[in-house]
Amino acid sequence: MKLGDSSEDQLISRVTRRLVQQEDVLVGPGDDCAVITLPSGDLQLLKTDCVVEGVHFYPNESGERVGWKAIARVVSDIAAMGGTPHAFVVTLVLTPDTTVDWLDALYVGMQKCADAFQLSIVGGETSSAPTGSANVISVAATGHVQASKLVLRSTCNVADAIYLTGKLGGSLVGKHLDFIPRLQPAQWLVENCKPSAMMDLSDGLAKDLPRMAKLSDVSYEVDLSSIPCSKNCTINQALSDGEDYELLFTVSPDMVERLGSDWPSSFPPLARIGIVKEPSIPPTKLDGGWEHFSRP
Amino acid sequence: MKLGDSSEDQLISRVTRRLVQQEDVLVGPGDDCAVITLPSGDLQLLKTDCVVEGVHFYPNESGERVGWKAIARVVSDIAAMGGTPHAFVVTLVLTPDTTVDWLDALYVGMQKCADAFQLSIVGGETSSAPTGSANVISVAATGHVQASKLVLRSTCNVADAIYLTGKLGGSLVGKHLDFIPRLQPAQWLVENCKPSAMMDLSDGLAKDLPRMAKLSDVSYEVDLSSIPCSKNCTINQALSDGEDYELLFTVSPDMVERLGSDWPSSFPPLARIGIVKEPSIPPTKLDGGWEHFSRP
């Protein structure tokens, strides 16, 4: 059997089953980040991610935009746990035909994102790739999170309201390269109106909401007409395109009024899209979402 | 200009110049690991690395050996700073034609190395690679180090003795996939006979000793006949093959006797190969070493 015959979720669950965690690992594989207890007792977030030529960016794309995206994706994951990004490292696997100008631009974009979110790119590794290979930029990072602010994907409760920030769909017309990770809104949320569960939307709502529900052992009802679609996007694109990098989160019913009145107007708009249901209720059908390995 | 027209060291120095570090970064790019001060005041090591099909392993190589190597390389870097490996994350970029059996074996090998060194693989990311691309396994990790045990590459002094563990050369006949990272010897050293500088040998002594000397602003004299060569290896192979994953370190002259008498016999043999010299002295000529981008 080849990877192309399996779904990404199946593969991940297959391989992560084998992993054995030491006692200081609070959250292992399966959430936006891992959570580790440091010797001091503080919690640390750890995340790895990548952008691959031909998958996450086109070969002719500007290095600066690719660099921004590579760092911003990881900031988005750390934000979704209620954390603050800290130290980043970058593995580059590049063909010898890559231009030095493109590499320079990549670092301009990465440092721009580092400046915007006050994080440090502290090191990296470079390897050549055989000619004909896709270029790969893999980014790993640590983040801080206070125990009282930590939010997981797996902890939403029946009757919680389901929210998302911003508008969905249309990533492929360019948004996916210039998006602003929702660090500020996420930090406001954990401070003021702590979500019961949260994640960032990377593979499309149709893929990511079922993941959150499965991990929390719940179901959901979604009002499709309440999902804000990006300009010129259909609801199918909003559900399926992926790479929205918006926050998907749930709050307990008693938080709904406060969230409605206190959400800062400087933040991207907030949409209440549904409600968490008992696991026995069939979830609203959501078609689509990004699938890495399965062949048509 | 393309990457193939430049050396790896030139490229790294070109791109890392742009990076701006926040105040808590004690050591940025250029050493085996970055060193960051945590909010608690403790030091943390952070490292990223990768193995690439066609560069670090052959396409027909067993997944288990590749998995061991991917984790062990990073353990070796953390060891070389005087640290202890802690939490690891893995980015996989794989073509859809990769077999599930190979992926399973990869995780068997990774977990085997995790067990051997009591570290946790806490998460990861998977992406498809376009068909025809090389498979990439990128590994990032945190490690602990006590401030009094931290050893850098850049801190050797004139008159220090230069040592290495084990035998060099012959990585390509298989050693590079099954090597034992020198975590125990490195921890013994920082505890008992603290080196003035240390690094792990990944690109060959001919490449790595000049790097250490350059960072420390010193020169060196090496007695080539004192370098232990692996079975059936010439001195040229010992200098050039790379992927030895042995420790290269320096100690002050007053440590030499103690090191000679106290080095545990259960460890790989120790060789004193030379002496650190004033920067004005021309270094012993060492030809070869692994170069990622330069074309012949």
Side-chain angles (χ1 to χ4, degrees):
Chain A
M1 196 170 81
K2 299 188 166 177
L3 301 196
D5 305 320
S6 197
S7 79
E8 190 184 355
D9 284 349
Q10 283 170 331
L11 288 172
I12 292 172
S13 112
R14 185 183 177 109
V15 295
T16 54
R17 255 191 345 227
R18 298 184 181 282
L19 300 176
V20 181
Q21 307 300 333
Q22 305 282 325
E23 274 183 9
D24 53 10
V25 179
L26 197 65
V27 178
D31 215 311
D32 292 281
C33 301
V35 188
I36 297 120
T37 308
L38 293 171
S40 63
D42 291 341
L43 298 186
Q44 186 169 57
L45 302 174
L46 187 60
K47 174 68 189 176
T48 189
D49 190 44
C50 64
V51 293
V52 178
E53 184 184 26
V55 177
H56 303 95
F57 64 93
Y58 293 115
N60 59 353
E61 198 50 74
S62 101
E64 187 171 335
R65 295 178 82 195
V66 173
W68 173 278
K69 175 175 181 172
I71 301 294
R73 275 170 63 102
V74 177
V75 174
S76 181
D77 280 307
I78 291 172
M81 304 289 289
T84 307
H86 187 193
F88 283 53
V89 284
V90 179
T91 290
L92 300 176
V93 183
L94 303 174
T95 62
D97 288 330
T98 308
T99 67
V100 173
D101 284 348
W102 192 87
L103 181 64
D104 279 343
L106 184 80
Y107 271 79
V108 169
M110 290 201 296
Q111 183 59 46
K112 209 179 241 189
C113 194
D115 290 341
F117 297 101
Q118 293 176 284
L119 56 92
S120 300
I121 300 170
V122 298
E125 179 71 20
T126 50
S127 171
S128 54
T131 303
S133 278
N135 281 341
V136 172
I137 300 112
S138 181
V139 174
T142 61
H144 309 306
V145 65
Q146 287 175 259
S148 63
K149 305 280 166 65
L150 178 66
V151 189
L152 307 183
R153 288 185 179 186
S154 55
T155 43
C156 62
N157 303 303
V158 172
D160 284 355
I162 306 172
Y163 283 85
L164 54 81
T165 59
K167 295 175 179 184
L168 305 189
S171 58
L172 284 176
V173 297
K175 194 175 75 167
H176 72 113
L177 288 161
D178 308 309
F179 72 91
I180 310 292
R182 301 309 188 193
L183 182 62
Q184 269 194 300
Q187 292 187 333
W188 184 91
L189 279 170
V190 296
E191 192 76 48
N192 294 283
C193 205
K194 196 182 165 196
S196 50
M198 184 155 65
M199 68 186 291
D200 80 327
L201 287 173
S202 55
D203 290 341
L205 187 68
K207 205 90 186 168
D208 288 331
L209 179 54
R211 283 179 177 152
M212 180 186 268
K214 192 179 174 194
L215 285 171
S216 298
D217 196 21
V218 295
S219 184
Y220 49 83
E221 185 182 301
V222 168
D223 173 7
L224 293 179
S225 70
S226 69
I227 296 174
C229 302
S230 301
K231 207 176 156 184
N232 300 327
C233 278
T234 64
I235 180 69
N236 281 345
Q237 290 174 288
L239 292 175
S240 286
D241 283 358
E243 301 220 86
D244 296 300
Y245 305 109
E246 295 293 349
L247 297 170
L248 171 68
F249 64 93
T250 56
V251 298
S252 65
D254 60 319
M255 291 276 204
V256 168
E257 200 179 323
R258 185 166 158 203
L259 188 56
S261 62
D262 291 2
W263 182 253
S265 60
S266 59
F267 284 175
L270 195 65
R272 185 174 167 192
I273 63 162
I275 187 165
V276 178
K277 293 284 190 183
E278 306 274 357
S280 58
I281 309 281
T284 309
K285 197 163 153 49
L286 305 172
D287 284 328
W290 176 258
E291 180 58 62
H292 262 293
F293 290 104
S294 281
R295 292 179 273 217
Chain B
M1 198 169 82
K2 299 188 167 175
L3 301 196
D5 305 319
S6 196
S7 80
E8 190 184 355
D9 284 350
Q10 283 169 333
L11 287 172
I12 291 172
S13 113
R14 184 181 177 111
V15 295
T16 55
R17 259 192 342 231
R18 300 183 179 282
L19 299 176
V20 182
Q21 308 299 336
Q22 306 281 325
E23 274 182 10
D24 53 10
V25 179
L26 197 66
V27 178
D31 214 311
D32 291 282
C33 301
V35 187
I36 298 120
T37 309
L38 293 171
S40 62
D42 290 341
L43 297 185
Q44 186 169 58
L45 303 174
L46 187 59
K47 174 67 189 177
T48 189
D49 190 45
C50 63
V51 293
V52 178
E53 183 184 28
V55 178
H56 303 96
F57 64 93
Y58 293 115
N60 59 355
E61 198 48 74
S62 103
E64 188 170 334
R65 296 177 83 194
V66 173
W68 173 278
K69 176 175 180 172
I71 300 294
R73 276 170 61 104
V74 178
V75 174
S76 181
D77 281 307
I78 291 173
M81 305 288 290
T84 306
H86 186 194
F88 283 54
V89 285
V90 179
T91 290
L92 301 176
V93 182
L94 304 174
T95 61
D97 288 329
T98 307
T99 67
V100 172
D101 284 347
W102 193 87
L103 181 64
D104 278 342
L106 184 80
Y107 271 79
V108 168
M110 292 200 296
Q111 183 59 45
K112 211 179 240 189
C113 194
D115 290 341
F117 296 100
Q118 291 176 287
L119 55 91
S120 300
I121 300 171
V122 297
E125 180 71 19
T126 50
S127 171
S128 53
T131 303
S133 279
N135 281 342
V136 173
I137 299 111
S138 181
V139 173
T142 60
H144 310 306
V145 65
Q146 284 175 262
S148 63
K149 306 278 167 68
L150 179 67
V151 189
L152 307 184
R153 289 184 180 188
S154 53
T155 42
C156 62
N157 304 303
V158 173
D160 285 355
I162 306 173
Y163 284 85
L164 53 81
T165 59
K167 297 176 180 184
L168 306 188
S171 57
L172 284 176
V173 297
K175 193 175 77 167
H176 72 113
L177 287 162
D178 308 308
F179 72 93
I180 310 292
R182 301 308 188 194
L183 182 63
Q184 268 194 302
Q187 292 186 334
W188 183 91
L189 279 169
V190 297
E191 193 76 47
N192 294 285
C193 203
K194 198 183 165 196
S196 51
M198 185 157 63
M199 68 186 291
D200 79 327
L201 286 173
S202 56
D203 291 341
L205 187 69
K207 204 89 186 170
D208 287 333
L209 179 55
R211 284 180 176 150
M212 180 186 267
K214 192 178 174 195
L215 284 171
S216 297
D217 196 23
V218 296
S219 185
Y220 49 82
E221 184 183 302
V222 168
D223 172 7
L224 293 179
S225 71
S226 69
I227 296 174
C229 302
S230 303
K231 206 177 159 184
N232 299 326
C233 279
T234 64
I235 181 68
N236 282 346
Q237 289 173 289
L239 293 175
S240 289
D241 283 358
E243 302 219 86
D244 296 300
Y245 305 108
E246 295 293 348
L247 298 171
L248 171 69
F249 64 94
T250 56
V251 298
S252 64
D254 60 319
M255 291 277 203
V256 167
E257 202 181 322
R258 184 163 159 203
L259 190 55
S261 62
D262 291 4
W263 183 252
S265 59
S266 59
F267 286 174
L270 195 63
R272 186 175 169 190
I273 62 164
I275 187 165
V276 178
K277 292 283 187 182
E278 306 274 358
S280 59
I281 310 281
T284 310
K285 197 163 153 47
L286 305 172
D287 284 328
W290 176 256
E291 181 58 65
H292 261 294
F293 291 105
S294 281
R295 290 180 277 217

